[in-house]
Amino acid sequence: MYFSSGSLGCLAFIIITIISLYLLKELWWLIVGIALILIVFYWGKQIYLLIKTAKDNQKSNYNPQMGEVFKICPYCNSKVKVTEVCCPNCKHALN
């Protein structure tokens, strides 16, 4: 029996398609699980970055309470608690 190169490519495509459909039918739960994990990781990273950015903004926009002593950062002119060793806004050391 002789097969031309075009029919071998077609036969291989049909076999690969049948195997893929069988695996898709049998392992659909695995594919859905992997998709859900990827979605959770993507949105988890987005939420983490959002929280981290909000926390950094909160640190840089520090407003001292009434009666609290603060100093001015010589690098960025932001108000910093006296007890801080480095500026939360520009990250320079306060001497």
Side-chain angles (χ1 to χ4, degrees):
M1 183 176 238
Y2 175 73
F3 292 106
S4 67
S5 62
S7 63
L8 280 178
C10 183
L11 181 63
F13 175 75
I14 291 172
I15 291 173
I16 290 172
T17 304
I18 291 172
I19 291 172
S20 299
L21 289 174
Y22 175 75
L23 290 176
L24 184 66
K25 178 184 162 207
E26 294 298 320
L27 300 176
W28 67 270
W29 54 270
L30 182 64
I31 295 167
V32 170
I34 291 172
L36 286 175
I37 289 171
L38 291 175
I39 290 170
V40 167
F41 276 135
Y42 173 77
W43 286 107
K45 182 179 178 182
Q46 297 298 321
I47 292 171
Y48 170 76
L49 291 175
L50 184 67
I51 291 171
K52 184 178 180 196
T53 304
K55 197 179 288 187
D56 288 344
N57 286 341
Q58 184 181 23
K59 284 182 182 178
S60 66
N61 295 330
Y62 172 72
N63 292 323
Q65 300 296 323
M66 182 65 103
E68 187 175 14
V69 181
F70 62 93
K71 56 186 170 184
I72 304 294
C73 175
Y75 301 101
C76 65
N77 294 327
S78 64
K79 295 179 181 178
V80 182
K81 285 184 182 180
V82 174
T83 57
E84 293 288 332
V85 235
C86 67
C87 177
N89 191 26
C90 64
K91 308 291 188 240
H92 279 93
L94 302 172
N95 296 337

